[in-house]
Structure formats: C-alpha cells, structure tokens
Amino acid sequence: MSGPLLTLDGVSVDFGPVSAVNDVSLEVSEGEIFGLVGESGCGKTTLAMAVMGLLPATAAVRGAIRFEGEDVLTRSEADRRKLRGDRISMVFQDPRAALDPAYPVGEQVAETIRAHRPVTRRAAREQAIRLLGEVGIPAATERYRDPPHRLSGGMQQRVVIATALANEPALLIADEPTTALDVTIQAQILGLIRELRDRHRTTVVLIAHDLGVVAELCDRAGVLYAGQLMEVAPVERIFAAPQHPYTKALLAALPTRAAARGALPVAAGGVPDLADPPPGCRFAPRCPVRMEACETVPPPVLSEPGHATACWYAAQGAPG
C-alpha cells in the first residue's frame, strides 16, 4: 500500500441540527501512534465511531473516510461489518460495558476470531489463550473460562485489547482506554499499547483528553475543539511550539508544581452550542487573540512541513 493508512477528507457528522464534527481532514500513517486530543464532548469519539461505522442511523456523515486507499463510506454495511474486528478494531473506554458479563472472557476473544477466520473452535481457543497471555493475563489457560467480574478493571481492559487484536488489525482505535483505571494500571496499559505497536506494526489512533498520555505515547497529535480540528503536528512540536491559541490554552492548564499553589489558568467562556455554532472559528468567542475574520469566516489552514494549524492569527504570521 502507498500513502497513508487512514485519511479523513472533510469529514462532518451531524445529528439533526447538531454539528458534532465539522470538516475534519487528517492522515494517519502506517505504524504510527496518532493522538486525538480535546475536551470531553469535542467530537473525538464521534469521529472514531464514524470510522468504525458504528454511528446510529440518526447521524449524517459527509466527506470521505479512506482506509487502505478505499472510501469506507461508499461500502455496503456487510462489507463494513467484515472490516470491524478484522482490519479495524476498537478498544472502548469502559471494559465493563464492552464485555458480556455472563460469557467467559476467553470465549469472547475466540468468538471474535471465529467471526472472521475459518478456524475450528479448538484452534480459536488456543489462539485466544495465546493472546490473553500476550496482553499480560497471568495463567491465561485457567482464566479463559472466567466471567469478567472475576477480573480486575485492568485485567478486563487487557481482555478487551486482546479481543481487538485477535485478527491482527491494521488499525487499532483506542478510545480513552485508561480512563476507568488507576494510575499504576494506566501506565501498564499504555506500555502494552506501545509494545503491541512495536511488535505487530499496528497503527494506533489514541483518543485522549489527557495531554500527558499523548506526550508519553504518541508520535503525532491532532487537537479537536467543538468538532473542529485546530492543529496537527508531531507531539514534540505540539508541546514545544504550539501555534493555535486553543492548543496553548490546553497546555497552559496542565498542572505543575507552581500551579498547585494557585488557580490553574482557564479559557474564559464555554464550548459553543453545536446546534448553533459560530460561523467562523468555533474557538473565536473564547480566544484571547481573535480577529474580526475569526468570528465570521472559517480559518485557513496554515501548513508547514509536518505541522498544520487552522487559525487566522497563526496565518497572519503572529508571534507564538
């Protein structure tokens, strides 16, 4: 395959009058870990569900979502069902909601294998046990028959990851996979995702609201605000030389020892009503450096090698 593994070209998602995602374009290269970051409700999960084809019938998706060069939005539902769990997989936030509470965890992994591969039950079982061991489930053969409630939250999330990796997908979408876990287990899960990427060359899209997680794990990151993509750059540049005022506001709000002695910086105002968003940049009402054009005209994309910013202020060559 030549070109990026995943390309979003002008993707918008509407739920009736609500514009949840607006004209998002980005590329994800084979083998990279790409972070999609932003506040809760900014459209990260909606975008992921659009890629997976798991949005409800009430959602209207526009634009193009190309996976391995082919627009998945033009494929039949039967074809997209074949992709899910095979070439594209997803790890959801809450493992308790992702696992069947009455079904043995190993059987859930094996069932995913048999849904996409012509293998016997015994072969699927053996592969499931191997995967459970690979993601760090101790005594995997014995735990194969355990229902989810006998496993800790961290172990449940490892089962979900094993299920997502069962058919060696080219693309793994991880939707805030450590949100429900304590800090120690979070670090283990993030390390596991990095290890699996390195071992299997799986491309990962990591959805997060925590910039610390993105800094630790990702190669590049895209910053979403109210459904609009504000900035895309290598993680090092996002932290060292952010261009968009919203990215700068996110970084300024990161807790530090100095900030612990006083109030954290916050951007004034609130997220706009997505049923009636501003006609220009959606961050404009809260932006400390907004210009007249920001409030009425969608911002141009300023592209430098490896770094793109949708911002009138940045496009004018304003100092960072």
Side-chain angles (χ1 to χ4, degrees):
M1 186 192 71
S2 59
L5 181 72
L6 177 69
T7 300
L8 308 185
D9 189 1
V11 174
S12 297
V13 181
D14 300 324
F15 295 91
V18 176
S19 172
V21 173
N22 180 247
D23 196 25
V24 169
S25 297
L26 59 86
E27 295 181 345
V28 180
S29 300
E30 187 174 0
E32 79 169 325
I33 301 180
F34 184 91
L36 199 57
V37 65
E39 299 170 75
S40 296
C42 71
K44 305 184 300 293
T45 297
T46 298
L47 202 54
M49 298 294 264
V51 174
M52 293 293 295
L54 291 174
L55 289 172
T58 53
V61 184
R62 293 175 281 117
I65 300 175
R66 286 187 285 275
F67 173 70
E68 296 182 326
E70 184 176 352
D71 187 355
V72 298
L73 295 180
T74 64
R75 300 182 69 162
S76 68
E77 176 55 28
D79 283 346
R80 296 195 75 176
R81 208 161 33 238
K82 291 177 183 177
L83 277 177
R84 287 194 295 267
D86 186 10
R87 299 295 294 154
I88 307 175
S89 288
M90 188 166 178
V91 176
F92 297 92
Q93 289 185 34
D94 186 354
R96 293 167 298 182
L99 295 170
D100 186 329
Y103 202 44
V105 292
E107 290 288 349
Q108 295 186 51
V109 180
E111 181 180 49
T112 300
I113 297 168
R114 296 186 68 240
H116 296 278
R117 298 287 184 269
V119 298
T120 64
R121 288 183 180 276
R122 180 176 179 178
R125 180 180 185 277
E126 291 174 352
Q127 186 174 342
I129 290 171
R130 178 183 60 78
L131 282 163
L132 291 173
E134 187 173 304
V135 299
I137 301 289
T141 302
E142 289 73 24
R143 306 310 295 266
Y144 182 92
R145 300 296 306 175
D146 282 352
H149 73 265
R150 291 190 180 173
L151 276 65
S152 67
M155 287 295 120
Q156 288 180 21
Q157 192 63 292
R158 289 171 188 267
V159 173
V160 172
I161 292 172
T163 304
L165 293 172
N167 294 302
E168 299 185 357
L171 174 64
L172 176 68
I173 300 174
D175 186 4
E176 307 217 30
T178 62
T179 297
L181 307 176
D182 65 47
V183 174
T184 302
I185 304 302
Q186 283 183 25
Q188 293 176 8
I189 295 296
L190 294 176
L192 173 62
I193 290 173
R194 182 190 296 110
E195 179 185 342
L196 293 171
R197 186 281 301 266
D198 294 343
R199 189 186 308 165
H200 296 288
R201 195 61 182 170
T202 302
T203 301
V204 179
V205 173
L206 178 74
I207 296 172
H209 66 271
D210 185 339
L211 282 168
V213 169
V214 172
E216 180 179 342
L217 194 64
C218 298
D219 303 306
R220 291 190 306 133
V223 180
L224 272 178
Y225 176 79
Q228 283 186 335
L229 189 62
M230 300 295 171
E231 187 164 6
V232 178
V235 165
E236 294 84 355
R237 292 201 64 181
I238 288 283
F239 280 81
Q243 297 299 305
H244 199 282
Y246 177 61
T247 309
K248 296 176 184 178
L250 283 180
L251 292 170
L254 285 175
T256 63
R257 287 188 177 182
R261 293 192 291 270
L264 290 172
V266 296
V271 178
D273 181 359
L274 296 185
D276 185 27
C281 175
R282 293 187 175 185
F283 187 61
R286 305 175 69 186
C287 184
V289 294
R290 65 181 176 272
M291 306 160 63
E292 184 176 346
C294 304
E295 300 178 351
T296 56
V297 183
V301 177
L302 174 66
S303 293
E304 303 172 0
H307 198 152
T309 310
C311 179
W312 280 106
Y313 186 71
Q316 299 269 336

